[in-house]
Structures are given as structure tokens and as C-alpha cells.
Amino acid sequence: MSAKVEAPKGTRDVLPDEGALRARIVGAASSLFDAYGYGRIATPTFEQTELFVRGVGQSTDIVRKEMYTFDDLGGRSMTLRPEGTAPVVRAFVEHGMHKLPLPVKLWYTAPMFRYEAPQAGRLREHTQIGAEALGADDPLLDAELIALLGAIYDALGIPGVRLRIGSLGDGPSRAAYRAELVAYLNSRAADLPADARERAGENPMRLFDSRDPAVAAVMEGAPRILDRLGDDAAAHHRAVLGALDAVGIAYDEDATLVRGLDYYTKTVFEFTCDRLGAQSGIGGGGRYDGLVEELGGPPTPGVGFGTGIERIVLALTADGAPGPAPTARVYFAGIGPEARAELFPVMTRLRAAGVAATADTLGRSMKGMMKQAAASGAAACVILGERELAEGIATLRDMSTGEQRPVPLSELESVLAKEHV
RNA sequence: GUGAACGUAGCUCAGUCGGUAGAGCUCCUGGUUGUGGUCCAGGCGGUCGUGGGUUCGAGUCCCAUCGUUCACCCCA
């Protein structure tokens, strides 16, 4: 054997048991997106680097130190998609979708790439399910996206989920608040550690998220954005909360909620789950009313969310691994090459008719084939050996009861199709 | 990027004072001349993460490196 090559740091293989669970997650999301009127979109895995620099923001950790950026053979700077909103907005602008009936509502599931220090629930490649609604600033649309994401978690039965919601304001009131916060932080600079002072210059609101007791003590007395919202943003915020109340969605209003992307305005929200190890966020999003214009489109409001499939899997499997998915309804046990050859066309036609079927292909012993049949989760087993071949029949075994009955070979297909579709 | 703990069979782990690597589970075969989920017996499976060093001798001690996990940071 040659030296082993392993998956790159921070990446992982999804094996079939988890694959079945992930298919269920995407399936649940997909049918809810249908119900809410969201159409599916797919964008390239890599984009021109400039898209993320302009869209996500220079001051974000993503752009400053987490992007997989490379020059292609033509000397163009490309970046593996680190987040989903900027590419969707780029496609919206590129295809003139602002001329479609608004709002344009889109969803996607796609891998994201960030150069991070991996740990449980944090990888260098992860998969998000996301949605964006573009072209309306109605607070009901914010509430709709929150309800939609909550419905996905409910449909999957994820335990321990909570919703935090806040607002970042917009326009002059947001700038005024930022100036006030910076002034406050400067007045308390002596009480802040050096790295916190540095971060204060880039994105002062981030300090609300710090777990450092010294920082937390300073932030305790800091002005809160929710007390400084302009009239428009304040009304918007109240309307979103009212809509959530009206549909019975519980939330914690949180003036310190910060998200890591520069484009958010007004509503920001985050769903947390208590079973994610060191991480707590399972999904989040918010409104981004300036992003479309920033990326060269007409002024267009937008709101969206992203949620991590790997974190959903973590939350769902915290109490134990998901059971393996059944791999077949019918198992074909042919004794000897002739019998296996006889069964092959029957099995092929049955599969075409939609019956999941599998067969021994290793020439196992009868005992071995029965074990395989049980392990495959098959409900029935077709046994064909010399005795059956001589009589033109097959033995049909019910795997749960162990009962067996003869079925003429000519009727095998129709009997199986009737009982096992 | 910084700090810490941990890397032994496909999986979960044991391995004493440094003395030439083990268990359970899984898988395969047999007990049962053609019948599964129990039982019994046997078998397959290991460059002890990797590379150096110390030593007569290293899974065990030392150094480096890679990976995982945890904390910081940040996020899905």
C-alpha cells in the first residue's frame, strides 16, 4: 500500500448514514420553500474576489483573513464562495431580476469555504441552506423569513432552539449611534484590553459579543442601538416583533446582537441551539437594504437568512447517531450463478418500477445471504435455488415474520410490484 | 493566528517499571449438506498519526510536524 492521502484540514466526508439525514434536511427545507413561494437558485462555487470584498465588507473577518483566494491561469483573482448572499445579489443584478414581479424570493443550498481554525461545528467547508427576498422593505417579509427558518427547525424536530432578534438601525441614526458608541469606548479605553481597543476601531458593536469580563463590564454601560433607532427603523422593528407575536413565535429581543457581515441594516436575527458544543448559532440573517446598490444594481431592499447543515446534523445527532437508512425493500438471494442470472432481469425491471431492490453478488452462503437481507432492511427476500428452478417458482420470504410461500416465476414481478412499491 | 489536551485494528478502547501489541463491536467462514436478527468456535484486520532522537531495546521517554478536540477569536 502507498502512503495515505487524507481529507484536507477542516473538511470531512459525508458517509451514507449521514447522507440520508442530510437529504431529509434539504427535503424538509425544500417543501417549506415551495409553501412560502421561494424559487431555487444556484450560483458558481467561485466568484471574482471583488464581489466579496465589496459585498461582504473590508472590515469583516471573512474578507480580512478567511477567504480561499487564488489567481486562475488567466491571472484573474478568484475566491471560493465564503457566504451565500453576495453571489445571489450579484445574480439578481446580472439578470435584471429587479424587473421581475417583486419581491423576488430565492433559496439555495451550497458549500461555503472559509479558512478557519476548525473545531466541532466549525469547518473550512460547510454547507448552508439560505434564502433571500429582494425588492420589498415590508417588515412582514422579515417576519416571513424568520417564520420560514423556524418552520424548518420545527419540521426537523431540532430540540433546544431559541431566537434572538435585534436591529442595527439605518441611515443617519445608525451613523450617529456608531459615533456615540465609539466616543463612549474612547472614554473607557483605559479599562479595555489592547485587542478590544483595536476591534473597537473596526467594528465597535462586535465588543458586545465579547466573553472577556473586562470588556463585558465596559459594555454594560454602553449606549444601546435599540434606544437610538430612527423613527423608520424603530417602526420597522416594532412591526417585525408584532408580526412574530401574531403567529406565536417566541423570541428574545437583544440589543447587543451583532452579525459578522457589514451589509446588514435594521433587522438582524439569530437562532441558537444548546447542543452544538462550542458553537451556539445554528442559523441567522437579517435585512440588507444597501447591498444591491453596492453591487451595481438599482436601490433595492433585501432580507435573508443562512443556516448550516452540519450544525443541524450536530443538533439532531447529539443524542446518538441517526439510524442507518434501509437500502432495499426486496433482497434477491440466488443460489449459484444460474439462479443469480435468472433473477437479474426481474430485479432490473422491478427497480425500474420503483421498488428498491438489491442482491447478493458475492456468491455467499444461504446463511450469509439471510444476514445480508436482514442488514439491508429488506421487507422481503426472494430465494431462488436448484429446487425452485426445477419447478419454475421462487420462494418469497417475509423478513419480519419468516413466513415463506412459493410464487411462480412468471408472476414474481407483478406480485413484488404489488406488495412493495 | 495564539494557548492547552489528545492521536493504538473499520469503530469504541486497554496496554503496568521501556522488553518485540490486546479486548469488545463490525465483517467473513463453520457448527446448521439451502434460511437472518440468539449462541459457540475460528478467521480477516496494525508502518501504535508521521519524521527524527535517547537506548542493547520505544506504543511507552525527548524534539519536531500533521490531525482532532477545547479555549481565545469568529461564525453556519
Side-chain angles (χ1 to χ4, degrees), chain A residues 11-174:
Chain A
T11 69
R12 52 197 289 277
D13 301 307
V14 177
L15 303 183
D17 288 356
E18 187 186 331
L21 177 58
R22 291 167 71 108
R24 191 157 68 76
I25 291 165
V26 174
S30 178
S31 52
L32 281 159
F33 283 127
D34 285 347
Y36 278 74
Y38 285 69
R40 185 156 179 178
I41 187 171
T43 63
T45 298
F46 57 91
E47 296 270 1
Q48 296 187 46
T49 299
E50 185 190 355
L51 171 65
F52 301 114
V53 173
R54 274 168 57 190
V56 178
Q58 298 269 14
S59 78
T60 61
D61 280 9
I62 289 179
V63 170
R64 287 171 55 215
K65 51 187 186 188
E66 295 181 354
M67 295 206 298
Y68 276 93
T69 295
F70 59 96
D71 285 345
D72 72 9
L73 293 181
R76 294 170 285 253
S77 181
M78 297 291 160
T79 294
L80 261 32
R81 170 182 48 219
E83 65 95 46
T85 299
V88 168
V89 169
R90 193 223 81 228
F92 175 87
V93 172
E94 186 165 334
H95 298 283
M97 294 170 85
H98 59 281
K99 290 183 183 154
L100 296 173
L102 298 178
V104 172
K105 306 206 287 189
L106 303 165
W107 78 277
Y108 56 84
T109 177
M112 307 292 164
F113 305 86
R114 296 179 200 168
Y115 192 84
E116 304 224 42
Q119 53 182 264
R122 201 172 68 192
L123 299 160
R124 290 187 173 179
E125 178 182 11
H126 75 278
T127 314
Q128 282 188 31
I129 295 171
E132 316 292 346
L134 293 141
D137 59 8
D138 188 342
L140 290 180
L141 207 50
D142 307 38
E144 170 178 302
L145 278 153
I146 292 169
L148 171 48
L149 184 52
I152 291 173
Y153 298 143
D154 285 348
L156 293 168
I158 301 175
V161 173
R162 299 178 64 89
L163 169 63
R164 298 163 68 205
I165 183 165
S167 175
L168 298 179
D170 67 343
S173 65
R174 180 179 184 173

Side-chain angles (χ1 to χ4, degrees), chain A residues 112-254:
Chain A
M112 307 292 164
F113 305 86
R114 296 179 200 168
Y115 192 84
E116 304 224 42
Q119 53 182 264
R122 201 172 68 192
L123 299 160
R124 290 187 173 179
E125 178 182 11
H126 75 278
T127 314
Q128 282 188 31
I129 295 171
E132 316 292 346
L134 293 141
D137 59 8
D138 188 342
L140 290 180
L141 207 50
D142 307 38
E144 170 178 302
L145 278 153
I146 292 169
L148 171 48
L149 184 52
I152 291 173
Y153 298 143
D154 285 348
L156 293 168
I158 301 175
V161 173
R162 299 178 64 89
L163 169 63
R164 298 163 68 205
I165 183 165
S167 175
L168 298 179
D170 67 343
S173 65
R174 180 179 184 173
Y177 169 73
R178 189 190 153 107
E180 183 185 354
L181 180 58
V182 169
Y184 171 79
L185 291 172
N186 285 338
S187 75
R188 297 290 303 271
D191 301 322
L192 286 171
D195 63 322
R197 255 176 281 147
E198 234 172 80
R199 269 184 289 147
E202 286 146 12
N203 187 344
M205 283 204 63
R206 287 262 194 87
L207 295 186
F208 280 117
D209 244 6
S210 177
R211 292 178 217 184
D212 183 327
V215 178
V218 170
M219 298 316 285
E220 188 77 19
R224 301 297 168 97
I225 179 68
L226 287 182
D227 302 323
R228 302 290 191 276
L229 295 179
D231 292 345
D232 178 44
H236 188 96
H237 184 59
R238 281 195 306 274
V240 173
L241 298 187
L244 293 178
D245 291 334
V247 290
I249 292 176
Y251 54 83
D252 297 318
E253 192 177 9
D254 190 339

